[in-house]
Structure formats: C-alpha cells, structure tokens
C-alpha cells in the first residue's frame, strides 16, 4: 500500500511509470511531474475478457483515501454490470491562464481552417467532437496525462478502426504542437507515445491491369458493356483521361472547351482542393465527347443519371457494368486505373518526366518541391495525353501509330471543322 511519503519522494523520469497501491489502484508519475490516480480493471466484451483503465484525480488534490474510495465506487459499479465512466467528474481545474484542451483545439482549428478545404475542416471538427473533446476537452492542456491519451487511442483501436486511431493521434499531436509553438507547453507529450502500441493500417492496393496484355483485355471488355450511354461512354473515357472515377462521372459540359480541346475542373471537384486541374483532350477523347455532346440529353452533366438528368451517374454504376462483362474484383477496380496508367506511361512513354506525369495525375508534391515548384507543364501534358491515347488505341488494334505525336495546332483546326459539320447536321 502506498504512503504519502512514498508518493512525495517519487521523482519524474523520462517516461511515465507507476506506483502500485492495491486492488487495481495505482499512481502514474508523468515526465512532467504530474501524478494522477488510475484504476485498472477487467471486463467482458463480446465474451472476451478485456483490460481497461480509468483516470481519477491528481495527487495531492485527490488524496490516497479519496483515490481508494473512488476505486471502491468503480468496483461497486462493476459488480452491477456497469462499466465505470471514462470521465472523472470530480476533477476540478484550478483557475489559471492555461487553456483547456478544447480552447486550444478551437484556436488551432480556427487558425488552420483558413488554408483547409471546407470538407477537411468539417471532418476534423467531427472527429474531435466524437473522440477527443468528450474526454480531454475540459482539462487544462498541461494537466492531460499521457496515459489518458494512450488509453483513448487504444479504446478506438479495440473497435478495429485502425485508420481512425492514426487520424485522432494526428489531430492530438498537432494541437499539442500548436500549444508548444505558442509557449503554452514546453513539450509535446503525444510524441512520447510508442508507435509499437498501435496496429498499422494495412496498405490498400487497388486491383489493376499490370501488363499491356491485361490492359488490352480490359479495354476490349469495356467495348462489350451494354449499359446506357452515360455509363459506357464514361468507362471508355476513364483509361484516357487519367482522372479519378468521381472526377470523371462528375464532368460538366461547362468544364469542356472544345475550341481549345481542354477540360478545366474547378478545385472543389478535385481530391486535392488547392487549384483547378487541366485535362488536355486527345483526338480520341475529343471525338468521344463531341459525339456525346451531339446526342446529349438536356443536362449540365456529361454523364447524367438515366433516372434524374440533374444528377450524374455514380461510380458504382461503372463498377457494376464491368462486372457484368466478366471483369472480376481481383482483376480490376475503377480506382486502379490511374495506377495502371502511371506504370504503363513510365514503361512505354519514357520521354515524359515524372513531374509531367504527376502534374497530369494531379498528385500532391511533398516537401520543398511542392512549395517552390509551381510549373504546370501544360504544353508537355498536351503531347502526353495524345501519346497516351494513341497507345491505348494501338493496344485495341487501331491504326493509330502510338510512336507518332500529332501536331496539336494542325489537329485543332481539323477538329474545329468537324464540330461545325456536326452542329449543322
């Protein structure tokens, strides 16, 4: 059993350590010097026994006698089949200039929302509301024990939400970083959490065509799709445009400049919502979209839903269509198309640099290059998109020579004439 002398003599170390009392009660000694009571117990969840921890008050505000009474109260709840609450209601914060975690989070969130997309800002707030603020919100940020953050994350992990653990840990780390930068805290204790405690999210690889022969078979299968005009045409364009599935199905006619043979997608429709994205049209994609425009239903969308022309088709419609022609989930998913394209371009169109390809794929460039390199490479991308379409056409047995890049200016004039004939017919 612990005594006051033992507790007072306990000095802070580099890592948190514990002084055991009895009956599952212990005192956590934090690297900051804070001393918080904890109660460890076991409960059954879905027929399996699990260990759990609850944090009480800080010593000496919560005396040894009060800590033992708190533990006994928890045990009484357990005997009634009730899990003790995670929040210790009797924690009373001493009035000070130190902000609570919620106050620090709100300041951090407001500061960063100016440079975030609306969706990301909302997602971050919702995650904090669900996981962080209920337990940490009312506690002064310098009084939050490392063990409380650890147990919070382990509770999430126990539900199998490994990706959520990473996101919540990231939010907590950034809030503490913000507090350190503003001299509210001296250290970011979240950095002390061992990565070995948490299960890494399995990296997801989308099924995709890995060889020219597999890609050829996929393209020929797409030609067999018998779904409606919107679905079949969208599927035909997916390999050519190098866009994400949602970006393809959401195409609007006002995003396409047929005179300049260019698609311009606004930032809010892109995954990386920092700037608009240009997609040069090749001869093939220009022809497909021109014919589609001629037969278009009265809709702002290039691929309107057959049930409601004021809405586009969904990506799941394309997926169902390729499944019906025998393309299995192990062979290909729509999201895997960009992986296929990037690989094939690197292998069979090596004249194009990674930066040009990344720009066309609208990848986010990390590090210093992402800050200082603002090049758009649009002229090179026009050539790339023509060569890529030529390559795809050639795979399917077209007479197009994939080794020859057509001159853009000459081609534009010819295709403008084609538009005039189509619109007058």
């Amino acid at each position: 059993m612990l005594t006051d002398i033992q507790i007072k003599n306990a000095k802070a170390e580099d890592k948190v350590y514990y002084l055991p009392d009895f009956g599952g009660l212990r005192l956590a000694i934090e690297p900051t010097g804070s001393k918080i009571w904890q109660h460890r117990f076991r409960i059954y969840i879905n027929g399996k026994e699990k260990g759990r921890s609850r944090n009480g008050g800080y010593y000496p505000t919560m005396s040894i006698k009060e800590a033992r009474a708190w533990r006994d109260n928890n045990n009484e709840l357990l005997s009634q089949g009730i899990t003790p609450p995670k929040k210790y209601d009797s924690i009373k914060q001493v009035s000070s200039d130190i902000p609570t975690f919620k106050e620090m989070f709100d300041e951090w969130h407001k500061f960063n929302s100016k440079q975030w997309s609306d969706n990301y800002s909302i997602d971050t707030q919702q995650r904090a509301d669900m996981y962080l603020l209920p337990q940490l919100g009312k506690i002064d940020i310098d009084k939050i024990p490392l063990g409380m953050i650890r147990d919070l994350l382990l509770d999430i992990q126990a539900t199998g939400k490994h990706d959520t653990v990473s996101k919540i840990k990231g939010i907590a780390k950034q809030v503490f970083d913000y507090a350190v930068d503003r001299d509210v805290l001296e250290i970011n204790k979240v950095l002390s959490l061992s990565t070995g405690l948490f299960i890494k999210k399995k990296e997801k690889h989308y099924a995709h065509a890995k060889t020219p022969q597999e890609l050829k078979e996929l393209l020929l299968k797409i030609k067999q799709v018998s779904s409606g005009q919107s679905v079949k045409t969208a599927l035909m364009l997916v390999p050519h445009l190098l866009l994400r599935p949602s970006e393809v199905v959401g195409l609007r006619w006002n995003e396409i400049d047929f005179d300049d043979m260019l698609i311009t997608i606004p930032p809010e429709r892109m995954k990386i919502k920092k700037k608009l994205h240009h997609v040069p049209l090749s001869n093939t994609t220009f022809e497909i979209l021109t014919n589609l425009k001629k037969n278009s239903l009265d809709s702002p969308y290039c691929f309107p839903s057959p049930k409601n022309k004021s809405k586009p088709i969904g990506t799941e419609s394309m997926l169902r269509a390729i499944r019906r022609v025998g393309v299995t989930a192990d062979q290909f998913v729509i999201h895997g198309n960009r992986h296929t394209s990037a690989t094939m371009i690197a292998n069979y169109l090596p004249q194009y640099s990674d930066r040009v390809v990344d720009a066309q794929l609208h990848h986010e460039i990390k590090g210093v290059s992402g800050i200082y390199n603002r090049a758009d490479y649009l002229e090179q991308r026009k050539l790339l998109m023509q060569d890529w379409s030529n390559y795809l056409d050639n795979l399917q047995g077209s007479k197009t020579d994939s080794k020859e890049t057509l001159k853009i200016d000459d081609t534009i004039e010819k295709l403008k004439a084609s538009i005039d004939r189509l619109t007058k017919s």
Side-chain angles (χ1 to χ4, degrees), residues 334-354:
I334 307 295
H335 284 283
N337 169 71
R338 283 157 55 85
H339 194 149
T340 294
S341 302
T343 303
M344 297 293 178
I345 289 171
N347 289 335
Y348 300 102
L349 299 175
Q351 65 268 36
Y352 297 104
S353 71
D354 291 344

Side-chain angles (χ1 to χ4, degrees), residues 32 65-66 231 276 295 387:
T32 60
K65 183 177 179 180
E66 290 169 332
V231 174
L276 52 77
N295 299 316
D387 274 349

Side-chain angles (χ1 to χ4, degrees), residues 139-159:
I139 306 176
D140 287 353
I141 193 164
D142 67 332
K143 296 294 194 300
I144 297 174
L146 181 64
M148 180 179 283
I149 302 172
R150 180 201 61 222
D151 289 348
L152 182 154
L153 295 171
L154 289 176
D155 282 345
I156 300 172
Q157 181 169 274
T159 67

